[in-house]
């Protein structure tokens, strides 16, 4: 649609579409508000789910206080880079393929290293992160 539509043209287009798409369910009569609320709720849910998954992965090896410290002391660069990679992966099929291949490569590389040295390196990195502000 063009940005040059006047008010009457917009009203005409809305009237022409009315009834074809059905009602948009939600707490308000305004479909735009309902979509915005749905977006906010979905984003909040994804943050809660992400936090739960992170905690579940870390809790198998560390106590509650260490898990909290690890999550709180994550650098802004690590957070921003994971957001950027996730956005890149979800925007297109080639992006998902590139990110998926990279993740698969990292997993295979990690498995190829000695198991004990991996555990030591990972433990040292997370303990260092947990103790950064202490």
């Amino acid at each position: 649609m063009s940005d040059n539509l006047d008010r009457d043209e917009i009203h005409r287009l809305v009237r022409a579409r009315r009834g074809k798409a059905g009602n948009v369910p939600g707490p308000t009569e305004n479909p735009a508000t309902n979509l915005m609320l749905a977006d906010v709720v979905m984003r909040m849910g994804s943050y809660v789910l992400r936090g739960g998954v992170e905690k579940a992965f870390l809790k198998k090896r560390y106590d509650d206080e260490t898990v909290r410290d690890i999550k709180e002391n994550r650098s802004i660069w690590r957070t921003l880079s994971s957001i950027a990679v996730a956005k890149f992966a979800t925007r297109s099929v080639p992006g998902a393929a590139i990110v998926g291949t990279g993740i698969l490569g990292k997993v295979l590389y990690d498995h190829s290293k000695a198991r004990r040295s991996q555990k030591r390196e990972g433990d040292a990195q997370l303990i260092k992160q947990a103790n950064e502000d202490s």
Side-chain angles (χ1 to χ4, degrees):
M1 242 191 249
S2 171
D3 289 335
N4 297 333
L5 295 175
D6 66 353
R7 190 177 186 95
D8 292 333
E9 181 67 13
I10 293 171
H11 285 285
R12 186 189 67 72
L13 291 170
V14 168
R15 279 192 302 276
R17 292 289 302 161
R18 190 172 287 154
K20 292 183 181 178
N23 292 333
V24 177
T28 71
E29 293 296 319
N30 185 337
T33 302
N34 291 340
L35 291 175
M36 182 201 59
L37 291 172
D39 184 47
V40 168
V41 169
M42 287 174 32
R43 288 178 193 273
M44 287 172 36
S46 72
Y47 285 123
V48 170
L49 179 64
R50 184 190 59 153
V53 170
E54 287 174 347
K55 188 174 182 179
F57 280 143
L58 293 171
K59 218 167 160 98
K60 291 186 181 218
R61 291 187 61 116
Y62 305 104
D63 60 70
D64 288 337
E65 185 178 333
T66 306
V67 169
R68 188 178 61 251
D69 289 343
I70 289 168
K71 288 175 65 176
E72 287 176 0
N73 291 329
R74 183 178 10 214
S75 72
I76 190 71
W77 296 113
R78 186 172 294 238
T79 302
L80 290 176
S81 65
S82 53
I83 290 170
V85 168
K87 285 277 189 193
F88 180 70
T90 58
R91 296 217 182 247
S92 67
V93 173
I98 291 169
V99 171
T101 302
I103 290 171
L104 179 62
K106 174 68 170 139
V107 168
L108 292 174
Y109 173 75
D110 286 349
H111 280 302
S112 71
K113 292 178 84 177
R115 213 179 161 110
R116 276 187 235 142
S117 69
Q118 267 293 331
K119 282 184 180 180
R120 279 194 307 268
E121 286 176 21
D123 285 343
Q125 185 179 7
L126 290 175
I127 296 301
K128 180 182 172 194
Q129 181 178 330
N131 293 329
E132 280 181 355
D133 74 352
S134 298

